[in-house]
């Protein structure tokens, strides 16, 4: 695909829907591990560390998803604890930049992501309808974000990185 993806920090989100699609969001989040594994199963090791225009490699994109899972769960805590604002993210992504994910094995990265995401899913499945519609203000977007919105945001973030991984694969691995 040649369409250019909008940069993550340029994205705008509409959280006005009143429909409870939380079970579908959970299913989408549950599927990210399998989609990642399927995407890279035939990608040679030397491609997993390659970067395009100074961006992250495939391993770094996967590591970034691992790195952010504690933020997503912390923000869930903020919402459930009725905090005014969600905790802020490190917009420089220094944790990912400093983690040296390229030195790790792809199997370890995938296993760790599956583990942390499984923990997230288990926690989400216990939420009540009331919990799903609680909210706090997103610090960057300056908009109320309900639990349901927050995890739709997470699913969109997952997909953003899956598209980035696809682009790397298409650039370096012509099958």
């Amino acid at each position: 695909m040649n369409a250019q993806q909008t940069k993550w920090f340029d994205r705008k989100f509409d959280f006005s829907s009143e429909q409870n699609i939380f079970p579908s969001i959970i299913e989408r989040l549950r599927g990210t591990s399998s989609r990642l594994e399927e995407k890279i199963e035939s990608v040679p090791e030397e491609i997993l560390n390659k970067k395009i225009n100074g961006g992250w490699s495939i391993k770094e994109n996967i590591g970034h998803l691992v790195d952010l899972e504690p933020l997503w769960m912390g923000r869930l805590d903020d919402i459930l604890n009725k905090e005014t604002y969600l905790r802020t993210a490190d917009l420089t992504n220094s944790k990912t930049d400093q983690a040296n994910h390229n030195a790790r094995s792809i199997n370890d990265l995938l296993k760790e992501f599956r583990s942390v995401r499984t923990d997230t899913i288990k926690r989400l499945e216990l939420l009540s309808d009331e919990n799903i519609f609680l909210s706090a203000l997103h610090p960057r977007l300056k908009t109320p974000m309900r639990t349901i919105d927050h995890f739709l945001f997470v699913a969109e973030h997952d997909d953003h990185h899956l598209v980035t991984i696809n682009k790397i694969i298409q650039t370096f691995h012509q099958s």
Side-chain angles (χ1 to χ4, degrees), residues 21-66:
I21 60 168
F22 200 60
S24 296
I25 294 169
I26 291 173
E27 195 57 34
R28 191 170 156 195
L29 293 168
R30 184 189 330 271
T32 302
S33 295
S34 296
R35 291 188 292 153
L36 276 170
E37 291 162 3
E38 182 179 324
K39 257 178 211 323
I40 63 151
E41 68 186 352
S42 65
V43 177
E45 178 69 29
E46 64 272 9
I47 304 295
L48 298 173
N49 292 339
K50 291 200 179 279
K51 302 178 182 200
I52 298 175
N53 299 326
W56 289 329
S57 68
I58 291 171
K59 284 183 177 180
E60 289 167 326
N61 274 277
I62 296 169
H64 176 67
L65 296 177
V66 171

Side-chain angles (χ1 to χ4, degrees), residues 84-95:
T84 303
Y85 284 93
L86 298 173
R87 64 194 64 195
T88 57
D90 171 13
L91 300 181
T92 66
N93 291 305
S94 60
K95 183 173 183 179

Side-chain angles (χ1 to χ4, degrees), residues 18 21 37 63-64 80 92 100 124 127-128 139 152 164:
E18 294 299 320
I21 60 168
E37 291 162 3
H64 176 67
L80 297 178
T92 66
N100 197 17
L124 296 181
L127 295 176
S128 68
L152 178 59
T164 301

Side-chain angles (χ1 to χ4, degrees), residues 39-40 43 58 165-174:
K39 257 178 211 323
I40 63 151
V43 177
I58 291 171
I165 288 168
N166 273 344
K167 186 170 178 88
I168 297 168
I169 293 169
Q170 290 169 356
T171 299
F172 293 109
H173 185 60
Q174 306 299 324

